[in-house]
Amino acid sequence: MMIIEVLRLFHRIRRDPRISTHCALVSRAFGAEKMFYSGDKDSSLEKSVNEVVERWGGPFSIEYVKSPVELIKEKKKQGFTIVHLTMFGEEKDVKTDKILILIGSERVPIEYYKLADYNIAIKNQPHSEVSALALFINSYKINKDFVNVKQKIVPQKQGKKIVKL
Amino acid sequence: MMIIEVLRLFHRIRRDPRISTHCALVSRAFGAEKMFYSGDKDSSLEKSVNEVVERWGGPFSIEYVKSPVELIKEKKKQGFTIVHLTMFGEEKDVKTDKILILIGSERVPIEYYKLADYNIAIKNQPHSEVSALALFINSYKINKDFVNVKQKIVPQKQGKKIVKL
């Protein structure tokens, strides 16, 4: 079974609220189990994500970490492969079954490039951590059955339909 | 040849600057030619996108439209298939060679669901317009050769390398 966790580096409350929320939602939707984040502790980010999990199902959790480097070292000990997504990395597949994905910005210190087992580019072009994360996680085609689902979409040709469970 | 253009609906300067910028960068990186946007006219959004095109190459442009409905009708006349990306839509492929993609938010008025030829979900789960756009455009595997490139990444196992051309 594939286990994917995400570490969002250097969250800044003023600049990133929606981007970090989107990172968490992408992580959940495509089959990751958890998103850690470092930088500013942000109760409103946590609240948004927890509300989505509450309504649309889990398992998924968000957790603040003070020291991202320590988390990375701990995850390595637990057998996780550390994959840093960066436009500066190599475009290639990573074959393993336990991954901690690091996502940051253009300004991630070189230390993280060295801590990572792989620095992977989802295209060597500037785009977004949200899209890089989605394409990378989606490449593993994880088929997650959400549990504790309170509401669900009924796909429509035109319009919106949600059923409460 | 595949032609993809994007219409970002209802941009709000205060709330969306980075999300809309990421939508434009994703559009460019994965092979779309242009992003229109409606809502608040935003010269700083346009500047950010134009600077990326200037440095990393085109062709790609961003254009403000006052009336998104008129643009959609005009594009229909030009033979574009209108695909609205929404978590409420159907998960399926769209086979055509000229697409205008509509992206908005959860609050897109029902009128747009009806104007669209297809309402497509990249998963019937909440995530992000940035990831939906990336996965949808990427499914067409457009191999765009960027022109007027001033700088380019040389992929690295560890670290960052940019060459000026």
Short mmCIF file of all heavy atoms in Angstrom, two decimals, chain A residues 4-66:
data_model
loop_
_atom_site.label_atom_id
_atom_site.label_comp_id
_atom_site.label_asym_id
_atom_site.label_seq_id
_atom_site.Cartn_x
_atom_site.Cartn_y
_atom_site.Cartn_z
N ILE A 4 1.57 8.30 1.25
CA ILE A 4 2.13 9.61 0.89
C ILE A 4 1.77 10.64 1.97
O ILE A 4 0.62 10.77 2.36
CB ILE A 4 1.64 10.10 -0.49
CG1 ILE A 4 2.11 9.14 -1.59
CG2 ILE A 4 2.15 11.51 -0.77
CD1 ILE A 4 1.80 9.60 -3.00
N GLU A 5 2.80 11.32 2.44
CA GLU A 5 2.59 12.46 3.33
C GLU A 5 3.29 13.67 2.71
O GLU A 5 4.18 13.51 1.86
CB GLU A 5 3.16 12.16 4.73
CG GLU A 5 2.42 10.99 5.39
CD GLU A 5 2.90 10.65 6.80
OE1 GLU A 5 3.91 11.24 7.24
OE2 GLU A 5 2.29 9.80 7.43
N VAL A 6 2.85 14.85 3.10
CA VAL A 6 3.35 16.08 2.46
C VAL A 6 3.87 17.01 3.55
O VAL A 6 3.31 17.06 4.65
CB VAL A 6 2.20 16.77 1.68
CG1 VAL A 6 2.65 18.12 1.12
CG2 VAL A 6 1.69 15.86 0.56
N LEU A 7 4.95 17.68 3.25
CA LEU A 7 5.44 18.73 4.16
C LEU A 7 5.51 20.04 3.38
O LEU A 7 6.30 20.19 2.45
CB LEU A 7 6.83 18.36 4.71
CG LEU A 7 7.60 19.47 5.44
CD1 LEU A 7 6.80 20.09 6.58
CD2 LEU A 7 8.94 18.94 5.96
N ARG A 8 4.63 20.95 3.75
CA ARG A 8 4.59 22.28 3.14
C ARG A 8 5.54 23.17 3.93
O ARG A 8 5.29 23.47 5.11
CB ARG A 8 3.16 22.78 3.23
CG ARG A 8 2.94 24.26 3.06
CD ARG A 8 3.05 24.61 1.64
NE ARG A 8 2.56 25.93 1.32
CZ ARG A 8 3.02 26.63 0.30
NH1 ARG A 8 4.01 26.17 -0.44
NH2 ARG A 8 2.51 27.80 0.02
N LEU A 9 6.62 23.58 3.31
CA LEU A 9 7.66 24.36 3.99
C LEU A 9 7.32 25.85 4.01
O LEU A 9 6.82 26.40 3.04
CB LEU A 9 9.00 24.17 3.28
CG LEU A 9 9.60 22.75 3.32
CD1 LEU A 9 10.69 22.61 2.25
CD2 LEU A 9 10.14 22.43 4.70
N PHE A 10 7.66 26.50 5.11
CA PHE A 10 7.65 27.97 5.20
C PHE A 10 6.32 28.63 4.85
O PHE A 10 6.27 29.59 4.09
CB PHE A 10 8.73 28.57 4.28
CG PHE A 10 10.05 27.87 4.41
CD1 PHE A 10 10.65 27.27 3.31
CD2 PHE A 10 10.69 27.79 5.64
CE1 PHE A 10 11.86 26.61 3.44
CE2 PHE A 10 11.89 27.13 5.77
CZ PHE A 10 12.49 26.54 4.67
N HIS A 11 5.25 28.13 5.43
CA HIS A 11 3.95 28.79 5.24
C HIS A 11 3.98 30.19 5.87
O HIS A 11 4.44 30.37 6.99
CB HIS A 11 2.86 27.93 5.92
CG HIS A 11 1.53 28.61 6.00
ND1 HIS A 11 0.76 28.85 4.90
CD2 HIS A 11 0.85 29.11 7.07
CE1 HIS A 11 -0.36 29.47 5.28
NE2 HIS A 11 -0.33 29.63 6.59
N ARG A 12 3.48 31.15 5.11
CA ARG A 12 3.39 32.51 5.65
C ARG A 12 1.93 32.94 5.68
O ARG A 12 1.27 32.95 4.64
CB ARG A 12 4.19 33.48 4.74
CG ARG A 12 5.69 33.23 4.78
CD ARG A 12 6.37 33.75 3.53
NE ARG A 12 5.83 33.06 2.34
CZ ARG A 12 6.16 33.37 1.09
NH1 ARG A 12 7.01 34.35 0.86
NH2 ARG A 12 5.64 32.70 0.07
N ILE A 13 1.45 33.30 6.86
CA ILE A 13 0.02 33.61 7.03
C ILE A 13 -0.46 34.67 6.04
O ILE A 13 -1.48 34.53 5.40
CB ILE A 13 -0.28 34.06 8.47
CG1 ILE A 13 -0.22 32.85 9.40
CG2 ILE A 13 -1.66 34.72 8.57
CD1 ILE A 13 -0.77 33.08 10.80
N ARG A 14 0.31 35.72 5.89
CA ARG A 14 -0.16 36.84 5.06
C ARG A 14 -0.21 36.48 3.58
O ARG A 14 -1.08 36.89 2.86
CB ARG A 14 0.77 38.05 5.19
CG ARG A 14 0.89 38.51 6.59
CD ARG A 14 0.48 39.93 6.76
NE ARG A 14 0.30 40.13 8.19
CZ ARG A 14 0.54 41.25 8.81
NH1 ARG A 14 0.94 42.30 8.12
NH2 ARG A 14 0.36 41.37 10.10
N ARG A 15 0.81 35.74 3.15
CA ARG A 15 0.95 35.56 1.72
C ARG A 15 0.28 34.29 1.19
O ARG A 15 -0.20 34.27 0.07
CB ARG A 15 2.46 35.53 1.38
CG ARG A 15 2.76 35.57 -0.10
CD ARG A 15 4.21 35.95 -0.35
NE ARG A 15 4.69 35.40 -1.61
CZ ARG A 15 4.62 36.01 -2.77
NH1 ARG A 15 4.10 37.21 -2.85
NH2 ARG A 15 5.07 35.43 -3.87
N ASP A 16 0.25 33.25 2.01
CA ASP A 16 -0.06 31.93 1.48
C ASP A 16 -1.37 31.29 1.88
O ASP A 16 -1.54 30.10 1.63
CB ASP A 16 1.03 30.94 1.93
CG ASP A 16 2.37 31.23 1.28
OD1 ASP A 16 2.36 31.79 0.17
OD2 ASP A 16 3.41 30.89 1.87
N PRO A 17 -2.30 31.97 2.53
CA PRO A 17 -3.39 31.18 3.11
C PRO A 17 -4.08 30.28 2.10
O PRO A 17 -4.29 29.10 2.36
CB PRO A 17 -4.35 32.24 3.67
CG PRO A 17 -4.00 33.50 2.97
CD PRO A 17 -2.53 33.40 2.70
N ARG A 18 -4.41 30.81 0.93
CA ARG A 18 -5.17 29.98 -0.01
C ARG A 18 -4.28 28.94 -0.69
O ARG A 18 -4.71 27.83 -0.92
CB ARG A 18 -5.90 30.84 -1.04
CG ARG A 18 -7.01 31.66 -0.35
CD ARG A 18 -7.88 32.37 -1.35
NE ARG A 18 -8.69 31.46 -2.12
CZ ARG A 18 -8.92 31.55 -3.41
NH1 ARG A 18 -8.39 32.50 -4.12
NH2 ARG A 18 -9.69 30.68 -4.03
N ILE A 19 -3.06 29.30 -1.02
CA ILE A 19 -2.17 28.34 -1.67
C ILE A 19 -1.94 27.13 -0.74
O ILE A 19 -2.02 25.98 -1.17
CB ILE A 19 -0.81 28.98 -2.06
CG1 ILE A 19 -1.00 30.12 -3.06
CG2 ILE A 19 0.15 27.93 -2.61
CD1 ILE A 19 -1.22 29.71 -4.49
N SER A 20 -1.67 27.39 0.54
CA SER A 20 -1.44 26.28 1.47
C SER A 20 -2.71 25.45 1.65
O SER A 20 -2.64 24.22 1.73
CB SER A 20 -0.94 26.79 2.81
OG SER A 20 0.35 27.36 2.66
N THR A 21 -3.86 26.11 1.70
CA THR A 21 -5.12 25.36 1.78
C THR A 21 -5.28 24.47 0.55
O THR A 21 -5.61 23.29 0.66
CB THR A 21 -6.34 26.31 1.89
OG1 THR A 21 -6.12 27.18 3.00
CG2 THR A 21 -7.63 25.56 2.08
N HIS A 22 -5.02 25.05 -0.63
CA HIS A 22 -5.14 24.26 -1.86
C HIS A 22 -4.16 23.08 -1.85
O HIS A 22 -4.49 21.98 -2.30
CB HIS A 22 -4.92 25.14 -3.08
CG HIS A 22 -6.10 26.04 -3.38
ND1 HIS A 22 -6.42 26.48 -4.65
CD2 HIS A 22 -7.04 26.58 -2.56
CE1 HIS A 22 -7.50 27.25 -4.58
NE2 HIS A 22 -7.88 27.33 -3.33
N CYS A 23 -2.96 23.29 -1.33
CA CYS A 23 -1.99 22.18 -1.22
C CYS A 23 -2.57 21.05 -0.37
O CYS A 23 -2.44 19.87 -0.72
CB CYS A 23 -0.67 22.65 -0.61
SG CYS A 23 0.32 23.63 -1.76
N ALA A 24 -3.18 21.42 0.73
CA ALA A 24 -3.76 20.40 1.61
C ALA A 24 -4.92 19.68 0.93
O ALA A 24 -5.03 18.45 1.00
CB ALA A 24 -4.22 21.04 2.92
N LEU A 25 -5.78 20.43 0.25
CA LEU A 25 -6.94 19.80 -0.40
C LEU A 25 -6.52 18.87 -1.53
O LEU A 25 -7.08 17.79 -1.72
CB LEU A 25 -7.92 20.87 -0.92
CG LEU A 25 -8.51 21.80 0.14
CD1 LEU A 25 -9.61 22.66 -0.45
CD2 LEU A 25 -9.04 21.03 1.34
N VAL A 26 -5.51 19.31 -2.28
CA VAL A 26 -4.95 18.47 -3.35
C VAL A 26 -4.38 17.18 -2.75
O VAL A 26 -4.59 16.09 -3.26
CB VAL A 26 -3.86 19.25 -4.12
CG1 VAL A 26 -2.93 18.32 -4.87
CG2 VAL A 26 -4.51 20.23 -5.08
N SER A 27 -3.64 17.33 -1.66
CA SER A 27 -3.04 16.17 -1.00
C SER A 27 -4.12 15.18 -0.61
O SER A 27 -4.04 13.99 -0.92
CB SER A 27 -2.28 16.62 0.26
OG SER A 27 -1.25 17.51 -0.09
N ARG A 28 -5.16 15.68 0.05
CA ARG A 28 -6.27 14.81 0.46
C ARG A 28 -6.97 14.17 -0.75
O ARG A 28 -7.17 12.97 -0.79
CB ARG A 28 -7.29 15.64 1.26
CG ARG A 28 -8.54 14.85 1.63
CD ARG A 28 -9.65 15.73 2.16
NE ARG A 28 -10.91 15.00 2.10
CZ ARG A 28 -11.65 14.88 1.01
NH1 ARG A 28 -11.29 15.47 -0.13
NH2 ARG A 28 -12.77 14.17 1.03
N ALA A 29 -7.32 15.00 -1.75
CA ALA A 29 -8.13 14.51 -2.87
C ALA A 29 -7.42 13.41 -3.65
O ALA A 29 -8.06 12.46 -4.13
CB ALA A 29 -8.50 15.66 -3.80
N PHE A 30 -6.10 13.51 -3.78
CA PHE A 30 -5.39 12.56 -4.64
C PHE A 30 -4.77 11.40 -3.85
O PHE A 30 -4.10 10.56 -4.43
CB PHE A 30 -4.38 13.29 -5.53
CG PHE A 30 -5.07 14.16 -6.54
CD1 PHE A 30 -5.29 15.52 -6.31
CD2 PHE A 30 -5.59 13.61 -7.71
CE1 PHE A 30 -5.99 16.31 -7.22
CE2 PHE A 30 -6.28 14.38 -8.63
CZ PHE A 30 -6.48 15.74 -8.38
N GLY A 31 -5.01 11.37 -2.53
CA GLY A 31 -4.67 10.15 -1.80
C GLY A 31 -3.57 10.24 -0.75
O GLY A 31 -3.17 9.21 -0.22
N ALA A 32 -3.07 11.44 -0.47
CA ALA A 32 -2.11 11.55 0.64
C ALA A 32 -2.87 11.45 1.96
O ALA A 32 -4.08 11.69 2.03
CB ALA A 32 -1.34 12.86 0.56
N GLU A 33 -2.15 11.10 3.02
CA GLU A 33 -2.79 10.85 4.32
C GLU A 33 -2.73 12.07 5.22
O GLU A 33 -3.48 12.19 6.17
CB GLU A 33 -2.06 9.73 5.07
CG GLU A 33 -1.58 8.60 4.20
CD GLU A 33 -2.40 7.35 4.42
OE1 GLU A 33 -2.56 6.98 5.59
OE2 GLU A 33 -2.88 6.79 3.43
N LYS A 34 -1.72 12.92 4.97
CA LYS A 34 -1.43 13.95 5.96
C LYS A 34 -0.63 15.08 5.32
O LYS A 34 0.18 14.83 4.45
CB LYS A 34 -0.59 13.31 7.07
CG LYS A 34 -0.30 14.21 8.21
CD LYS A 34 0.11 13.41 9.44
CE LYS A 34 0.23 14.36 10.61
NZ LYS A 34 0.36 13.65 11.87
N MET A 35 -0.86 16.30 5.78
CA MET A 35 0.04 17.39 5.40
C MET A 35 0.58 18.03 6.67
O MET A 35 -0.17 18.51 7.52
CB MET A 35 -0.64 18.44 4.54
CG MET A 35 0.36 19.48 4.01
SD MET A 35 -0.35 20.74 2.89
CE MET A 35 -0.71 22.06 4.05
N PHE A 36 1.90 18.02 6.81
CA PHE A 36 2.58 18.80 7.81
C PHE A 36 2.86 20.17 7.20
O PHE A 36 2.97 20.30 5.98
CB PHE A 36 3.93 18.17 8.18
CG PHE A 36 3.83 16.78 8.72
CD1 PHE A 36 3.95 15.67 7.90
CD2 PHE A 36 3.63 16.57 10.09
CE1 PHE A 36 3.86 14.37 8.41
CE2 PHE A 36 3.56 15.28 10.61
CZ PHE A 36 3.67 14.18 9.76
N TYR A 37 2.98 21.19 8.03
CA TYR A 37 3.46 22.46 7.51
C TYR A 37 4.34 23.14 8.53
O TYR A 37 4.17 22.96 9.74
CB TYR A 37 2.29 23.36 7.07
CG TYR A 37 1.49 23.97 8.19
CD1 TYR A 37 1.66 25.30 8.56
CD2 TYR A 37 0.55 23.21 8.89
CE1 TYR A 37 0.92 25.86 9.60
CE2 TYR A 37 -0.20 23.76 9.93
CZ TYR A 37 0.00 25.08 10.28
OH TYR A 37 -0.73 25.63 11.31
N SER A 38 5.30 23.90 8.03
CA SER A 38 6.19 24.67 8.91
C SER A 38 6.06 26.14 8.54
O SER A 38 5.40 26.49 7.57
CB SER A 38 7.63 24.20 8.75
OG SER A 38 8.15 24.62 7.50
N GLY A 39 6.69 26.98 9.32
CA GLY A 39 6.59 28.42 9.07
C GLY A 39 5.69 29.02 10.14
O GLY A 39 5.85 28.74 11.32
N ASP A 40 4.72 29.82 9.69
CA ASP A 40 3.77 30.41 10.64
C ASP A 40 2.71 29.39 11.04
O ASP A 40 2.06 28.82 10.16
CB ASP A 40 3.03 31.60 10.01
CG ASP A 40 3.96 32.75 9.64
OD1 ASP A 40 5.08 32.81 10.20
OD2 ASP A 40 3.57 33.57 8.79
N LYS A 41 2.51 29.21 12.32
CA LYS A 41 1.37 28.39 12.76
C LYS A 41 0.09 29.16 12.44
O LYS A 41 0.00 30.36 12.69
CB LYS A 41 1.49 28.07 14.25
CG LYS A 41 0.33 27.23 14.77
CD LYS A 41 0.72 26.29 15.89
CE LYS A 41 -0.50 25.64 16.56
NZ LYS A 41 -1.35 24.88 15.61
N ASP A 42 -0.89 28.50 11.86
CA ASP A 42 -2.03 29.18 11.27
C ASP A 42 -3.32 28.41 11.58
O ASP A 42 -3.67 27.45 10.90
CB ASP A 42 -1.80 29.29 9.76
CG ASP A 42 -2.88 30.07 9.04
OD1 ASP A 42 -3.94 30.33 9.64
OD2 ASP A 42 -2.66 30.42 7.86
N SER A 43 -4.04 28.89 12.62
CA SER A 43 -5.22 28.12 13.04
C SER A 43 -6.33 28.21 12.00
O SER A 43 -7.16 27.31 11.87
CB SER A 43 -5.72 28.61 14.40
OG SER A 43 -6.02 29.97 14.32
N SER A 44 -6.32 29.27 11.18
CA SER A 44 -7.41 29.38 10.19
C SER A 44 -7.15 28.43 9.01
O SER A 44 -8.09 27.85 8.44
CB SER A 44 -7.60 30.84 9.77
OG SER A 44 -7.24 31.05 8.45
N LEU A 45 -5.89 28.21 8.66
CA LEU A 45 -5.55 27.17 7.66
C LEU A 45 -6.00 25.80 8.17
O LEU A 45 -6.67 25.04 7.46
CB LEU A 45 -4.03 27.18 7.41
CG LEU A 45 -3.42 25.96 6.71
CD1 LEU A 45 -3.92 25.84 5.27
CD2 LEU A 45 -1.88 26.04 6.72
N GLU A 46 -5.66 25.50 9.42
CA GLU A 46 -6.02 24.19 10.00
C GLU A 46 -7.53 24.01 10.02
O GLU A 46 -8.05 22.94 9.69
CB GLU A 46 -5.44 24.05 11.41
CG GLU A 46 -3.91 24.04 11.39
CD GLU A 46 -3.27 23.87 12.77
OE1 GLU A 46 -3.96 23.44 13.72
OE2 GLU A 46 -2.06 24.17 12.89
N LYS A 47 -8.23 25.09 10.39
CA LYS A 47 -9.69 25.03 10.47
C LYS A 47 -10.30 24.75 9.08
O LYS A 47 -11.18 23.89 8.95
CB LYS A 47 -10.21 26.36 11.03
CG LYS A 47 -11.67 26.37 11.38
CD LYS A 47 -12.02 27.60 12.24
CE LYS A 47 -13.52 27.78 12.37
NZ LYS A 47 -14.11 28.65 11.34
N SER A 48 -9.84 25.46 8.05
CA SER A 48 -10.38 25.23 6.70
C SER A 48 -10.20 23.78 6.27
O SER A 48 -11.10 23.16 5.70
CB SER A 48 -9.64 26.07 5.65
OG SER A 48 -9.58 27.40 6.01
N VAL A 49 -9.01 23.26 6.52
CA VAL A 49 -8.71 21.90 6.08
C VAL A 49 -9.55 20.89 6.88
O VAL A 49 -10.17 19.98 6.32
CB VAL A 49 -7.20 21.60 6.20
CG1 VAL A 49 -6.91 20.13 5.90
CG2 VAL A 49 -6.40 22.52 5.28
N ASN A 50 -9.60 21.10 8.20
CA ASN A 50 -10.37 20.18 9.04
C ASN A 50 -11.85 20.19 8.70
O ASN A 50 -12.52 19.16 8.77
CB ASN A 50 -10.15 20.50 10.53
CG ASN A 50 -8.74 20.10 10.97
OD1 ASN A 50 -8.15 19.17 10.41
ND2 ASN A 50 -8.20 20.80 11.95
N GLU A 51 -12.37 21.35 8.30
CA GLU A 51 -13.78 21.42 7.90
C GLU A 51 -14.06 20.62 6.64
O GLU A 51 -15.10 19.98 6.50
CB GLU A 51 -14.20 22.88 7.69
CG GLU A 51 -14.52 23.59 9.00
CD GLU A 51 -14.77 25.09 8.83
OE1 GLU A 51 -14.73 25.59 7.67
OE2 GLU A 51 -14.98 25.76 9.86
N VAL A 52 -13.10 20.66 5.71
CA VAL A 52 -13.27 19.86 4.48
C VAL A 52 -13.26 18.37 4.81
O VAL A 52 -14.10 17.60 4.33
CB VAL A 52 -12.17 20.20 3.43
CG1 VAL A 52 -12.13 19.17 2.32
CG2 VAL A 52 -12.40 21.59 2.85
N VAL A 53 -12.34 17.96 5.68
CA VAL A 53 -12.25 16.55 6.08
C VAL A 53 -13.53 16.12 6.79
O VAL A 53 -14.09 15.05 6.52
CB VAL A 53 -11.01 16.29 6.97
CG1 VAL A 53 -11.00 14.84 7.47
CG2 VAL A 53 -9.73 16.61 6.21
N GLU A 54 -14.01 16.97 7.67
CA GLU A 54 -15.24 16.73 8.43
C GLU A 54 -16.44 16.48 7.48
O GLU A 54 -17.21 15.56 7.68
CB GLU A 54 -15.50 17.97 9.31
CG GLU A 54 -16.77 18.00 10.12
CD GLU A 54 -16.80 16.97 11.24
OE1 GLU A 54 -15.71 16.48 11.66
OE2 GLU A 54 -17.91 16.63 11.67
N ARG A 55 -16.54 17.30 6.45
CA ARG A 55 -17.68 17.19 5.53
C ARG A 55 -17.49 16.10 4.48
O ARG A 55 -18.37 15.31 4.20
CB ARG A 55 -17.89 18.52 4.78
CG ARG A 55 -18.60 19.58 5.58
CD ARG A 55 -19.26 20.60 4.66
NE ARG A 55 -18.28 21.29 3.82
CZ ARG A 55 -17.69 22.44 4.13
NH1 ARG A 55 -17.99 23.05 5.25
NH2 ARG A 55 -16.82 22.99 3.31
N TRP A 56 -16.30 16.11 3.84
CA TRP A 56 -16.10 15.28 2.64
C TRP A 56 -15.39 13.96 2.94
O TRP A 56 -15.20 13.15 2.03
CB TRP A 56 -15.31 16.06 1.58
CG TRP A 56 -16.00 17.30 1.09
CD1 TRP A 56 -15.86 18.56 1.60
CD2 TRP A 56 -16.94 17.41 0.01
NE1 TRP A 56 -16.65 19.45 0.89
CE2 TRP A 56 -17.32 18.76 -0.09
CE3 TRP A 56 -17.49 16.50 -0.89
CZ2 TRP A 56 -18.22 19.22 -1.04
CZ3 TRP A 56 -18.39 16.95 -1.85
CH2 TRP A 56 -18.74 18.30 -1.91
N GLY A 57 -14.95 13.77 4.17
CA GLY A 57 -14.35 12.49 4.55
C GLY A 57 -12.85 12.50 4.68
O GLY A 57 -12.17 13.43 4.24
N GLY A 58 -12.36 11.46 5.31
CA GLY A 58 -10.93 11.32 5.54
C GLY A 58 -10.51 9.93 5.16
O GLY A 58 -11.17 9.33 4.31
N PRO A 59 -9.45 9.37 5.68
CA PRO A 59 -8.61 10.02 6.69
C PRO A 59 -7.67 11.04 6.05
O PRO A 59 -7.10 10.81 5.00
CB PRO A 59 -7.78 8.85 7.26
CG PRO A 59 -7.74 7.84 6.15
CD PRO A 59 -9.01 8.00 5.38
N PHE A 60 -7.59 12.20 6.72
CA PHE A 60 -6.60 13.21 6.33
C PHE A 60 -6.42 14.16 7.51
O PHE A 60 -7.39 14.54 8.15
CB PHE A 60 -7.04 14.01 5.09
CG PHE A 60 -5.95 14.93 4.60
CD1 PHE A 60 -4.91 14.43 3.85
CD2 PHE A 60 -5.95 16.28 4.95
CE1 PHE A 60 -3.86 15.25 3.43
CE2 PHE A 60 -4.90 17.12 4.54
CZ PHE A 60 -3.87 16.60 3.78
N SER A 61 -5.20 14.52 7.77
CA SER A 61 -4.97 15.46 8.87
C SER A 61 -3.90 16.48 8.50
O SER A 61 -3.13 16.28 7.55
CB SER A 61 -4.58 14.71 10.13
OG SER A 61 -3.41 13.96 9.88
N ILE A 62 -3.92 17.58 9.22
CA ILE A 62 -2.93 18.63 9.01
C ILE A 62 -2.25 18.87 10.35
O ILE A 62 -2.90 18.85 11.40
CB ILE A 62 -3.58 19.92 8.45
CG1 ILE A 62 -2.54 21.04 8.30
CG2 ILE A 62 -4.77 20.40 9.28
CD1 ILE A 62 -2.98 22.16 7.37
N GLU A 63 -0.93 19.04 10.33
CA GLU A 63 -0.20 19.21 11.59
C GLU A 63 0.94 20.20 11.41
O GLU A 63 1.72 20.12 10.45
CB GLU A 63 0.38 17.86 12.03
CG GLU A 63 1.05 17.91 13.40
CD GLU A 63 1.67 16.55 13.81
OE1 GLU A 63 1.11 15.49 13.46
OE2 GLU A 63 2.73 16.58 14.45
N TYR A 64 1.04 21.12 12.34
CA TYR A 64 2.12 22.09 12.33
C TYR A 64 3.40 21.47 12.87
O TYR A 64 3.36 20.73 13.85
CB TYR A 64 1.73 23.29 13.20
CG TYR A 64 2.82 24.30 13.34
CD1 TYR A 64 3.18 25.12 12.28
CD2 TYR A 64 3.53 24.42 14.54
CE1 TYR A 64 4.21 26.04 12.40
CE2 TYR A 64 4.56 25.35 14.66
CZ TYR A 64 4.90 26.14 13.59
OH TYR A 64 5.91 27.05 13.70
N VAL A 65 4.53 21.72 12.23
CA VAL A 65 5.81 21.29 12.80
C VAL A 65 6.74 22.49 12.93
O VAL A 65 6.84 23.33 12.03
CB VAL A 65 6.54 20.20 11.97
CG1 VAL A 65 5.86 18.85 12.09
CG2 VAL A 65 6.70 20.58 10.50
N LYS A 66 7.38 22.56 14.07
CA LYS A 66 8.28 23.68 14.33
C LYS A 66 9.58 23.48 13.56
O LYS A 66 10.10 24.41 12.96
CB LYS A 66 8.56 23.74 15.85
CG LYS A 66 8.93 25.13 16.29
CD LYS A 66 8.67 25.32 17.77
CE LYS A 66 9.06 26.76 18.14
NZ LYS A 66 8.77 27.09 19.51
#
